[in-house]
Amino acid sequence: MTKPLQRPKRKDPLKKTRIPLLPQGTRSRTALGLTSAAAEGRFQLQVCSDCAMVVYPPRDACPRCLSARLPFKDVPNGGTLLAETTIRTSTDVYFRERMPWRIGTVALDAGPSIVAHLHGDVREGERARLQLKIDKSGQAIAMALPESDTPNMADDPQWRELTCDPKYRRVLITDGRTAVGQALAEALSEAGASVIFVGVADPWKPFPGEDKLRKIERVEIVALDLTDTISVNECAGEFAARVDILINTAEHVRTGGIIERKGLTIAREELEIRYFGLTRLAQAFGPVLRARGADGVNSAAAFVNLLSVYALVNWPTYGAFSATEAACLSAAQSLRTELRPGGVKVLNVFFGPLETEWYQVVPPPKVTPSALANATVRALQHGLEDVFVGDIAEDIRARLAVSPKALERELGS
Amino acid sequence: MNLAPTSAPQSRRRPYDGVVVAAPVTVPYRRYSTNTAHWWVGRAVREVIQKARLKSADIDGLSLSSFTVGPDTAIGLTQHLGLSPRWLDHVPLGGASGVVALRRAARAVQCGDAEFVVCVAGDTNQVDSFRRMLSTFSRFAQDAVYPYGSGGPNASFALITRNYMKHYGATREDFGKICVAQRANALKFPHALMKKPLTLDEYLGARAISDPIHLFDCVMPCAGAEAFLVCREDVARSLELPAARLLATIERHNAFPEDPIQYRGGWALDIDEFYAMAGVTADDVDFVQTYDDYPVICMMQMEDLGFCGKGEGPEFVRSHTLTADGSFPHNTSGGQLSVGQAGAAGGFLGLVEAVRQVTDGALGAAVPGAAIGLVSGFGMVTYDRGLASGAALLAGGRA
Ligand SMILES: [Zn+2]
């Protein structure tokens, strides 16, 4: 049984912050297929298109029929733990400071044997389910979990090393005036975050939902205006060392394409709030997050971007807005590489039109703020990198995978 | 199309008539060395040439095994060592290197492609070289092993050992017996790095490395080199070189890929043909040098090489002393577990020792009346199991 996590004590300011180390992240190009699956929380292995053999470790030829057609596909993740070991000495500096470490051989029902990290509640000889996870190096690894959930299982130290669980972590929500920001505060409070800093520009100005927000347990309103570099820097100066998860909830949704708009005023506003706001946050909080990636139970864990799914492909009805979201997505990809030395993940949450005033004319299905908030918390608890929330986002994701050109035409018609 | 071997090959192999192994050489091991692999290989080749009273110009065949000679391979070593061979081989097969190098060299000599083949294995051991080798050992290791705790071979063999213990009832005492007997052999072998006796209590009380693997289940990586000469029997006689005749060999890679975890090696596929080629049985074998990277692998070889049935390894170990003077002389120089593992030279250690034993040249404990010896090789864990296996039967003057 997993020992429940203890709330971390206040940190001794004289104590050295442990320098983040990473496990080896080098992989063959083919093995990156596992990373793609892990990023979205899928369990995919190569499956031979010619003989249906499930193949592991990743290969470039099928070991049964020598076919080169080996796409990654969803496969059943059940298996049996044949043997386990507790490693007590490692040649790798990352694992050395995390010893002892359990691994084991899982014979998958689907065929191959997989050497995997072991959750503390998996027992030798018993059934297990495998998941692919992104480790601190940003690459996929397999982890064996008990067949059914166990009490406090998210608190397992080997598991928590792979997730960004908000439990006992301190979170900054950058804009509390939005319905999504408020829903997130509630969801994070329920998920056991120890403090939820909620940024509000000009906090003396009242806003809808304020009373409810202030009543949420462990919420602390802080002054933060993403369009103002000084404000962002001041907020970071005061709170960055106590922020383990940063969630950028800033939004600016306006209809219209590129030509219809006269001048650059609205475009500038969009960029100011979204792209430059993200840049300001990254510059002010990024270095501190990156330095605190191995700082115990409440180590820095994630930088979260809430992105319109139209960041992936432009929706001309919201053409200029889509362009700004695309800029934010591109910046997020850069951030991923820049934060990796600290083992800090960048989670991109893609969503379709929301059930808010800004999408008033858009027909359903739409995503409620609380659905988006819950999906974001779940993604953190599972350590995902990309998550698609709602039917529209899932649909765009699926159609994009088939034909980006077809999707471009369809969104433009 | 199923690529897995289903049965032993039907074609009959020709015997190695008239091929011998001579001039067994060990360059004394060191825990760490500031010298390069080239230095170690050079010492070993020189000693073979001197022992055989030859000149460099006589050496027309060279076979090299080394993990640390990079960026060079065998070809670079010809120029480095000033040799002009007309037959050249590089055998990067770790623990199977010795047997594989020998069987290839033997055919070259038998067919006249070369007259004197020096087979050499040497590796250096610098303070950080082991770690660097592990993370880049194979593509599968990089993708699917090293990121899992980076426990190296200790962790991989811990899983194999654990599974074997569970299935066949082997105990730590059984593995301890193998290690303790090898240490007893090693105390008489001048080149062994381990000089102190080992008791079963010390074995059992040692610290855990990767359960159930404990300290004395592990070899100590070190620097060193081993080498031997392959030539025709009449040539060896004219040089007055003590030599061992080659009776049979086998080699197999990636056997039993469908086994979910390794409990047997490729020997099991080829063992009947192996003894048939030599015209002997397991009962005729006077001593065995197994590949002992971990004691569970020794036990697996006792089974797969036909000394007992599958799963009878633990009982077999309990019923023999395993020392050089006992009922089943095993790893008579102390094996890698007590001599040290000098990289690829670990795959030559048992072979070089076997040549000494059947030619009355033992440096340590001699097996009384040793006529026929079996040498086994095993190696190359690129993912979850050792892929390469091989074995050779050698006979001396008494056979
Ligand atoms: Zn196939």
mmCIF file of all heavy atoms in Angstrom, chain B residues 286-328:
data_model
loop_
_atom_site.group_PDB
_atom_site.id
_atom_site.type_symbol
_atom_site.label_atom_id
_atom_site.label_comp_id
_atom_site.label_asym_id
_atom_site.label_seq_id
_atom_site.Cartn_x
_atom_site.Cartn_y
_atom_site.Cartn_z
ATOM 1 N N ASP B 286 36.004 -33.608 -18.681
ATOM 2 C CA ASP B 286 36.724 -33.620 -17.400
ATOM 3 C C ASP B 286 36.585 -32.319 -16.615
ATOM 4 O O ASP B 286 36.789 -32.294 -15.414
ATOM 5 C CB ASP B 286 38.206 -33.902 -17.646
ATOM 6 C CG ASP B 286 38.410 -35.275 -18.271
ATOM 7 O OD1 ASP B 286 37.874 -36.247 -17.715
ATOM 8 O OD2 ASP B 286 39.070 -35.359 -19.332
ATOM 9 N N PHE B 287 36.327 -31.232 -17.319
ATOM 10 C CA PHE B 287 36.099 -29.959 -16.614
ATOM 11 C C PHE B 287 35.299 -29.044 -17.533
ATOM 12 O O PHE B 287 35.275 -29.222 -18.749
ATOM 13 C CB PHE B 287 37.419 -29.286 -16.202
ATOM 14 C CG PHE B 287 38.275 -28.879 -17.370
ATOM 15 C CD1 PHE B 287 38.101 -27.647 -17.985
ATOM 16 C CD2 PHE B 287 39.247 -29.752 -17.880
ATOM 17 C CE1 PHE B 287 38.881 -27.279 -19.078
ATOM 18 C CE2 PHE B 287 40.020 -29.391 -18.967
ATOM 19 C CZ PHE B 287 39.842 -28.154 -19.581
ATOM 20 N N VAL B 288 34.656 -28.056 -16.921
ATOM 21 C CA VAL B 288 33.815 -27.124 -17.682
ATOM 22 C C VAL B 288 34.154 -25.691 -17.283
ATOM 23 O O VAL B 288 34.262 -25.379 -16.099
ATOM 24 C CB VAL B 288 32.312 -27.392 -17.396
ATOM 25 C CG1 VAL B 288 31.429 -26.373 -18.119
ATOM 26 C CG2 VAL B 288 31.945 -28.803 -17.816
ATOM 27 N N GLN B 289 34.359 -24.869 -18.281
ATOM 28 C CA GLN B 289 34.522 -23.433 -18.026
ATOM 29 C C GLN B 289 33.263 -22.753 -18.566
ATOM 30 O O GLN B 289 33.111 -22.580 -19.769
ATOM 31 C CB GLN B 289 35.763 -22.871 -18.753
ATOM 32 C CG GLN B 289 37.020 -23.727 -18.665
ATOM 33 C CD GLN B 289 37.697 -23.685 -17.294
ATOM 34 O OE1 GLN B 289 37.280 -22.936 -16.408
ATOM 35 N NE2 GLN B 289 38.718 -24.491 -17.112
ATOM 36 N N THR B 290 32.352 -22.418 -17.667
ATOM 37 C CA THR B 290 31.151 -21.714 -18.132
ATOM 38 C C THR B 290 31.417 -20.216 -18.145
ATOM 39 O O THR B 290 32.365 -19.734 -17.529
ATOM 40 C CB THR B 290 29.927 -21.965 -17.220
ATOM 41 O OG1 THR B 290 30.173 -21.385 -15.940
ATOM 42 C CG2 THR B 290 29.633 -23.442 -17.093
ATOM 43 N N TYR B 291 30.563 -19.509 -18.820
ATOM 44 C CA TYR B 291 30.653 -18.047 -18.798
ATOM 45 C C TYR B 291 29.901 -17.569 -17.574
ATOM 46 O O TYR B 291 28.696 -17.807 -17.430
ATOM 47 C CB TYR B 291 30.069 -17.436 -20.081
ATOM 48 C CG TYR B 291 30.347 -15.960 -20.130
ATOM 49 C CD1 TYR B 291 31.625 -15.505 -20.463
ATOM 50 C CD2 TYR B 291 29.391 -15.028 -19.796
ATOM 51 C CE1 TYR B 291 31.927 -14.148 -20.476
ATOM 52 C CE2 TYR B 291 29.672 -13.666 -19.806
ATOM 53 C CZ TYR B 291 30.935 -13.238 -20.151
ATOM 54 O OH TYR B 291 31.229 -11.895 -20.154
ATOM 55 N N ASP B 292 30.606 -16.902 -16.685
ATOM 56 C CA ASP B 292 30.062 -16.644 -15.345
ATOM 57 C C ASP B 292 29.873 -15.160 -15.090
ATOM 58 O O ASP B 292 30.340 -14.643 -14.094
ATOM 59 C CB ASP B 292 30.989 -17.243 -14.289
ATOM 60 C CG ASP B 292 32.401 -16.656 -14.369
ATOM 61 O OD1 ASP B 292 32.790 -16.198 -15.469
ATOM 62 O OD2 ASP B 292 33.109 -16.629 -13.348
ATOM 63 N N ASP B 293 29.160 -14.469 -15.965
ATOM 64 C CA ASP B 293 28.899 -13.061 -15.624
ATOM 65 C C ASP B 293 28.025 -12.978 -14.379
ATOM 66 O O ASP B 293 28.143 -12.042 -13.599
ATOM 67 C CB ASP B 293 28.295 -12.288 -16.800
ATOM 68 C CG ASP B 293 27.150 -13.008 -17.486
ATOM 69 O OD1 ASP B 293 26.840 -14.155 -17.099
ATOM 70 O OD2 ASP B 293 26.569 -12.433 -18.407
ATOM 71 N N TYR B 294 27.149 -13.960 -14.211
ATOM 72 C CA TYR B 294 26.343 -14.084 -12.980
ATOM 73 C C TYR B 294 26.142 -15.574 -12.740
ATOM 74 O O TYR B 294 26.004 -16.337 -13.706
ATOM 75 C CB TYR B 294 24.992 -13.368 -13.122
ATOM 76 C CG TYR B 294 25.182 -11.882 -13.255
ATOM 77 C CD1 TYR B 294 25.367 -11.307 -14.509
ATOM 78 C CD2 TYR B 294 25.243 -11.058 -12.130
ATOM 79 C CE1 TYR B 294 25.614 -9.947 -14.644
ATOM 80 C CE2 TYR B 294 25.476 -9.699 -12.256
ATOM 81 C CZ TYR B 294 25.660 -9.151 -13.505
ATOM 82 O OH TYR B 294 25.907 -7.813 -13.627
ATOM 83 N N PRO B 295 26.103 -16.006 -11.478
ATOM 84 C CA PRO B 295 26.059 -17.449 -11.222
ATOM 85 C C PRO B 295 24.824 -18.139 -11.808
ATOM 86 O O PRO B 295 24.878 -19.313 -12.149
ATOM 87 C CB PRO B 295 26.093 -17.555 -9.694
ATOM 88 C CG PRO B 295 25.918 -16.170 -9.164
ATOM 89 C CD PRO B 295 26.284 -15.226 -10.242
ATOM 90 N N VAL B 296 23.713 -17.411 -11.973
ATOM 91 C CA VAL B 296 22.533 -18.048 -12.556
ATOM 92 C C VAL B 296 22.835 -18.529 -13.977
ATOM 93 O O VAL B 296 22.302 -19.548 -14.431
ATOM 94 C CB VAL B 296 21.311 -17.095 -12.544
ATOM 95 C CG1 VAL B 296 21.477 -15.945 -13.539
ATOM 96 C CG2 VAL B 296 20.029 -17.860 -12.859
ATOM 97 N N ILE B 297 23.710 -17.800 -14.664
ATOM 98 C CA ILE B 297 24.045 -18.177 -16.036
ATOM 99 C C ILE B 297 24.904 -19.444 -16.035
ATOM 100 O O ILE B 297 24.787 -20.286 -16.925
ATOM 101 C CB ILE B 297 24.731 -16.999 -16.763
ATOM 102 C CG1 ILE B 297 23.813 -15.773 -16.757
ATOM 103 C CG2 ILE B 297 25.091 -17.363 -18.200
ATOM 104 C CD1 ILE B 297 22.460 -15.969 -17.426
ATOM 105 N N CYS B 298 25.744 -19.604 -15.028
ATOM 106 C CA CYS B 298 26.517 -20.854 -14.892
ATOM 107 C C CYS B 298 25.547 -22.035 -14.767
ATOM 108 O O CYS B 298 25.699 -23.070 -15.415
ATOM 109 C CB CYS B 298 27.408 -20.816 -13.651
ATOM 110 S SG CYS B 298 28.632 -19.514 -13.667
ATOM 111 N N MET B 299 24.545 -21.838 -13.908
ATOM 112 C CA MET B 299 23.586 -22.919 -13.657
ATOM 113 C C MET B 299 22.808 -23.254 -14.930
ATOM 114 O O MET B 299 22.569 -24.423 -15.248
ATOM 115 C CB MET B 299 22.635 -22.480 -12.549
ATOM 116 C CG MET B 299 22.145 -23.613 -11.684
ATOM 117 S SD MET B 299 21.058 -22.973 -10.408
ATOM 118 C CE MET B 299 22.181 -22.825 -9.036
ATOM 119 N N MET B 300 22.437 -22.221 -15.652
ATOM 120 C CA MET B 300 21.729 -22.410 -16.921
ATOM 121 C C MET B 300 22.594 -23.201 -17.906
ATOM 122 O O MET B 300 22.098 -24.060 -18.644
ATOM 123 C CB MET B 300 21.447 -21.033 -17.520
ATOM 124 C CG MET B 300 19.994 -20.763 -17.802
ATOM 125 S SD MET B 300 19.839 -19.089 -18.459
ATOM 126 C CE MET B 300 18.843 -18.342 -17.206
ATOM 127 N N GLN B 301 23.896 -22.931 -17.903
ATOM 128 C CA GLN B 301 24.786 -23.638 -18.833
ATOM 129 C C GLN B 301 24.940 -25.101 -18.433
ATOM 130 O O GLN B 301 25.029 -25.971 -19.287
ATOM 131 C CB GLN B 301 26.156 -22.935 -18.893
ATOM 132 C CG GLN B 301 26.094 -21.638 -19.677
ATOM 133 C CD GLN B 301 27.282 -20.721 -19.412
ATOM 134 O OE1 GLN B 301 28.290 -20.769 -20.101
ATOM 135 N NE2 GLN B 301 27.158 -19.877 -18.394
ATOM 136 N N MET B 302 25.003 -25.376 -17.128
ATOM 137 C CA MET B 302 25.093 -26.773 -16.695
ATOM 138 C C MET B 302 23.905 -27.562 -17.245
ATOM 139 O O MET B 302 24.043 -28.712 -17.649
ATOM 140 C CB MET B 302 25.135 -26.854 -15.161
ATOM 141 C CG MET B 302 26.429 -26.294 -14.578
ATOM 142 S SD MET B 302 26.335 -26.099 -12.780
ATOM 143 C CE MET B 302 27.779 -25.060 -12.484
ATOM 144 N N GLU B 303 22.751 -26.924 -17.277
ATOM 145 C CA GLU B 303 21.556 -27.579 -17.820
ATOM 146 C C GLU B 303 21.616 -27.674 -19.342
ATOM 147 O O GLU B 303 21.486 -28.762 -19.929
ATOM 148 C CB GLU B 303 20.296 -26.789 -17.427
ATOM 149 C CG GLU B 303 20.042 -26.744 -15.928
ATOM 150 C CD GLU B 303 18.971 -25.728 -15.522
ATOM 151 O OE1 GLU B 303 18.600 -24.875 -16.356
ATOM 152 O OE2 GLU B 303 18.511 -25.791 -14.382
ATOM 153 N N ASP B 304 21.817 -26.533 -19.971
ATOM 154 C CA ASP B 304 21.708 -26.477 -21.429
ATOM 155 C C ASP B 304 22.853 -27.213 -22.134
ATOM 156 O O ASP B 304 22.721 -27.604 -23.295
ATOM 157 C CB ASP B 304 21.656 -25.019 -21.904
ATOM 158 C CG ASP B 304 20.391 -24.310 -21.423
ATOM 159 O OD1 ASP B 304 19.462 -25.011 -20.968
ATOM 160 O OD2 ASP B 304 20.335 -23.072 -21.496
ATOM 161 N N LEU B 305 23.985 -27.379 -21.427
ATOM 162 C CA LEU B 305 25.107 -28.124 -22.015
ATOM 163 C C LEU B 305 25.007 -29.613 -21.709
ATOM 164 O O LEU B 305 25.916 -30.378 -21.996
ATOM 165 C CB LEU B 305 26.436 -27.559 -21.509
ATOM 166 C CG LEU B 305 26.757 -26.137 -22.027
ATOM 167 C CD1 LEU B 305 27.882 -25.511 -21.226
ATOM 168 C CD2 LEU B 305 27.109 -26.162 -23.512
ATOM 169 N N GLY B 306 23.908 -30.018 -21.082
ATOM 170 C CA GLY B 306 23.617 -31.440 -20.966
ATOM 171 C C GLY B 306 24.153 -32.130 -19.727
ATOM 172 O O GLY B 306 24.147 -33.359 -19.660
ATOM 173 N N PHE B 307 24.611 -31.387 -18.726
ATOM 174 C CA PHE B 307 25.112 -32.053 -17.516
ATOM 175 C C PHE B 307 23.962 -32.414 -16.578
ATOM 176 O O PHE B 307 24.109 -33.251 -15.697
ATOM 177 C CB PHE B 307 26.158 -31.169 -16.819
ATOM 178 C CG PHE B 307 27.370 -30.972 -17.679
ATOM 179 C CD1 PHE B 307 27.553 -29.797 -18.396
ATOM 180 C CD2 PHE B 307 28.288 -32.004 -17.854
ATOM 181 C CE1 PHE B 307 28.648 -29.629 -19.222
ATOM 182 C CE2 PHE B 307 29.384 -31.846 -18.683
ATOM 183 C CZ PHE B 307 29.565 -30.655 -19.380
ATOM 184 N N CYS B 308 22.835 -31.756 -16.762
ATOM 185 C CA CYS B 308 21.618 -32.125 -16.045
ATOM 186 C C CYS B 308 20.444 -31.561 -16.831
ATOM 187 O O CYS B 308 20.646 -30.837 -17.803
ATOM 188 C CB CYS B 308 21.633 -31.589 -14.606
ATOM 189 S SG CYS B 308 21.760 -29.799 -14.498
ATOM 190 N N GLY B 309 19.241 -31.925 -16.436
ATOM 191 C CA GLY B 309 18.071 -31.471 -17.187
ATOM 192 C C GLY B 309 17.681 -30.051 -16.819
ATOM 193 O O GLY B 309 18.171 -29.495 -15.828
ATOM 194 N N LYS B 310 16.785 -29.458 -17.620
ATOM 195 C CA LYS B 310 16.298 -28.102 -17.323
ATOM 196 C C LYS B 310 15.598 -28.097 -15.976
ATOM 197 O O LYS B 310 14.762 -28.951 -15.690
ATOM 198 C CB LYS B 310 15.358 -27.661 -18.442
ATOM 199 C CG LYS B 310 14.789 -26.267 -18.309
ATOM 200 C CD LYS B 310 15.801 -25.158 -18.018
ATOM 201 C CE LYS B 310 16.796 -24.827 -19.099
ATOM 202 N NZ LYS B 310 17.808 -23.815 -18.656
ATOM 203 N N GLY B 311 16.012 -27.162 -15.148
ATOM 204 C CA GLY B 311 15.427 -27.049 -13.819
ATOM 205 C C GLY B 311 16.156 -27.881 -12.780
ATOM 206 O O GLY B 311 15.878 -27.770 -11.593
ATOM 207 N N GLU B 312 17.106 -28.716 -13.236
ATOM 208 C CA GLU B 312 17.856 -29.549 -12.272
ATOM 209 C C GLU B 312 19.166 -28.899 -11.842
ATOM 210 O O GLU B 312 19.939 -29.479 -11.078
ATOM 211 C CB GLU B 312 18.136 -30.928 -12.893
ATOM 212 C CG GLU B 312 16.867 -31.755 -13.089
ATOM 213 C CD GLU B 312 17.086 -32.977 -13.985
ATOM 214 O OE1 GLU B 312 18.251 -33.337 -14.256
ATOM 215 O OE2 GLU B 312 16.072 -33.556 -14.418
ATOM 216 N N GLY B 313 19.429 -27.684 -12.355
ATOM 217 C CA GLY B 313 20.669 -26.975 -12.022
ATOM 218 C C GLY B 313 20.914 -26.848 -10.529
ATOM 219 O O GLY B 313 22.013 -27.156 -10.050
ATOM 220 N N PRO B 314 19.896 -26.408 -9.763
ATOM 221 C CA PRO B 314 20.119 -26.257 -8.321
ATOM 222 C C PRO B 314 20.554 -27.575 -7.661
ATOM 223 O O PRO B 314 21.517 -27.608 -6.885
ATOM 224 C CB PRO B 314 18.748 -25.810 -7.802
ATOM 225 C CG PRO B 314 18.088 -25.154 -8.979
ATOM 226 C CD PRO B 314 18.577 -25.905 -10.182
ATOM 227 N N GLU B 315 19.857 -28.668 -8.010
ATOM 228 C CA GLU B 315 20.206 -29.965 -7.419
ATOM 229 C C GLU B 315 21.607 -30.398 -7.862
ATOM 230 O O GLU B 315 22.385 -30.951 -7.076
ATOM 231 C CB GLU B 315 19.153 -30.995 -7.858
ATOM 232 C CG GLU B 315 19.152 -32.271 -7.049
ATOM 233 C CD GLU B 315 19.218 -32.033 -5.545
ATOM 234 O OE1 GLU B 315 18.402 -31.254 -5.020
ATOM 235 O OE2 GLU B 315 20.132 -32.618 -4.891
ATOM 236 N N PHE B 316 21.926 -30.126 -9.119
ATOM 237 C CA PHE B 316 23.244 -30.486 -9.654
ATOM 238 C C PHE B 316 24.349 -29.765 -8.875
ATOM 239 O O PHE B 316 25.355 -30.367 -8.481
ATOM 240 C CB PHE B 316 23.316 -30.128 -11.140
ATOM 241 C CG PHE B 316 24.580 -30.576 -11.822
ATOM 242 C CD1 PHE B 316 24.742 -31.900 -12.220
ATOM 243 C CD2 PHE B 316 25.614 -29.674 -12.049
ATOM 244 C CE1 PHE B 316 25.917 -32.318 -12.841
ATOM 245 C CE2 PHE B 316 26.790 -30.093 -12.666
ATOM 246 C CZ PHE B 316 26.936 -31.415 -13.063
ATOM 247 N N VAL B 317 24.132 -28.479 -8.625
ATOM 248 C CA VAL B 317 25.123 -27.702 -7.877
ATOM 249 C C VAL B 317 25.266 -28.259 -6.459
ATOM 250 O O VAL B 317 26.374 -28.377 -5.920
ATOM 251 C CB VAL B 317 24.730 -26.209 -7.856
ATOM 252 C CG1 VAL B 317 25.482 -25.436 -6.786
ATOM 253 C CG2 VAL B 317 24.966 -25.599 -9.233
ATOM 254 N N ARG B 318 24.147 -28.644 -5.860
ATOM 255 C CA ARG B 318 24.197 -29.163 -4.485
ATOM 256 C C ARG B 318 24.965 -30.482 -4.406
ATOM 257 O O ARG B 318 25.534 -30.818 -3.386
ATOM 258 C CB ARG B 318 22.776 -29.368 -3.950
ATOM 259 C CG ARG B 318 22.065 -28.055 -3.622
ATOM 260 C CD ARG B 318 20.577 -28.234 -3.415
ATOM 261 N NE ARG B 318 19.858 -26.990 -3.765
ATOM 262 C CZ ARG B 318 18.583 -26.946 -4.135
ATOM 263 N NH1 ARG B 318 17.849 -28.057 -4.201
ATOM 264 N NH2 ARG B 318 18.025 -25.795 -4.439
ATOM 265 N N SER B 319 24.999 -31.219 -5.528
ATOM 266 C CA SER B 319 25.602 -32.552 -5.458
ATOM 267 C C SER B 319 27.049 -32.585 -5.940
ATOM 268 O O SER B 319 27.634 -33.652 -6.101
ATOM 269 C CB SER B 319 24.751 -33.549 -6.260
ATOM 270 O OG SER B 319 24.673 -33.122 -7.597
ATOM 271 N N HIS B 320 27.656 -31.423 -6.213
ATOM 272 C CA HIS B 320 29.060 -31.403 -6.622
ATOM 273 C C HIS B 320 29.817 -30.327 -5.853
ATOM 274 O O HIS B 320 29.227 -29.350 -5.404
ATOM 275 C CB HIS B 320 29.177 -31.130 -8.126
ATOM 276 C CG HIS B 320 28.677 -32.267 -8.962
ATOM 277 N ND1 HIS B 320 29.434 -33.388 -9.213
ATOM 278 C CD2 HIS B 320 27.490 -32.467 -9.575
ATOM 279 C CE1 HIS B 320 28.727 -34.232 -9.966
ATOM 280 N NE2 HIS B 320 27.536 -33.699 -10.196
ATOM 281 N N THR B 321 31.165 -30.534 -5.769
ATOM 282 C CA THR B 321 31.960 -29.524 -5.050
ATOM 283 C C THR B 321 32.267 -28.326 -5.937
ATOM 284 O O THR B 321 32.469 -27.228 -5.438
ATOM 285 C CB THR B 321 33.298 -30.107 -4.575
ATOM 286 O OG1 THR B 321 34.047 -30.490 -5.739
ATOM 287 C CG2 THR B 321 33.082 -31.298 -3.681
ATOM 288 N N LEU B 322 32.363 -28.552 -7.259
ATOM 289 C CA LEU B 322 32.626 -27.496 -8.247
ATOM 290 C C LEU B 322 34.069 -26.980 -8.203
ATOM 291 O O LEU B 322 34.427 -26.091 -8.971
ATOM 292 C CB LEU B 322 31.655 -26.316 -8.116
ATOM 293 C CG LEU B 322 30.155 -26.655 -8.093
ATOM 294 C CD1 LEU B 322 29.341 -25.377 -7.881
ATOM 295 C CD2 LEU B 322 29.721 -27.346 -9.367
ATOM 296 N N THR B 323 34.893 -27.484 -7.286
ATOM 297 C CA THR B 323 36.291 -27.043 -7.231
ATOM 298 C C THR B 323 37.125 -27.855 -8.228
ATOM 299 O O THR B 323 36.680 -28.893 -8.723
ATOM 300 C CB THR B 323 36.870 -27.235 -5.818
ATOM 301 O OG1 THR B 323 36.510 -28.558 -5.371
ATOM 302 C CG2 THR B 323 36.290 -26.210 -4.865
ATOM 303 N N ALA B 324 38.324 -27.351 -8.523
ATOM 304 C CA ALA B 324 39.169 -27.972 -9.556
ATOM 305 C C ALA B 324 39.484 -29.426 -9.229
ATOM 306 O O ALA B 324 39.685 -30.247 -10.128
ATOM 307 C CB ALA B 324 40.453 -27.169 -9.717
ATOM 308 N N ASP B 325 39.532 -29.761 -7.925
ATOM 309 C CA ASP B 325 39.892 -31.127 -7.540
ATOM 310 C C ASP B 325 38.661 -31.989 -7.266
ATOM 311 O O ASP B 325 38.772 -33.103 -6.785
ATOM 312 C CB ASP B 325 40.786 -31.084 -6.284
ATOM 313 C CG ASP B 325 40.106 -30.340 -5.134
ATOM 314 O OD1 ASP B 325 38.942 -29.872 -5.315
ATOM 315 O OD2 ASP B 325 40.725 -30.208 -4.063
ATOM 316 N N GLY B 326 37.480 -31.461 -7.577
ATOM 317 C CA GLY B 326 36.264 -32.149 -7.174
ATOM 318 C C GLY B 326 35.624 -32.962 -8.277
ATOM 319 O O GLY B 326 36.232 -33.273 -9.299
ATOM 320 N N SER B 327 34.335 -33.290 -8.058
ATOM 321 C CA SER B 327 33.628 -34.193 -8.969
ATOM 322 C C SER B 327 33.146 -33.477 -10.229
ATOM 323 O O SER B 327 32.828 -34.116 -11.224
ATOM 324 C CB SER B 327 32.431 -34.801 -8.239
ATOM 325 O OG SER B 327 31.629 -33.761 -7.676
ATOM 326 N N PHE B 328 33.089 -32.160 -10.216
ATOM 327 C CA PHE B 328 32.688 -31.417 -11.418
ATOM 328 C C PHE B 328 33.525 -30.137 -11.473
ATOM 329 O O PHE B 328 33.060 -29.059 -11.106
ATOM 330 C CB PHE B 328 31.185 -31.085 -11.361
ATOM 331 C CG PHE B 328 30.661 -30.406 -12.608
ATOM 332 C CD1 PHE B 328 30.445 -31.136 -13.778
ATOM 333 C CD2 PHE B 328 30.396 -29.034 -12.622
ATOM 334 C CE1 PHE B 328 29.961 -30.504 -14.928
ATOM 335 C CE2 PHE B 328 29.908 -28.407 -13.769
ATOM 336 C CZ PHE B 328 29.694 -29.143 -14.923
#
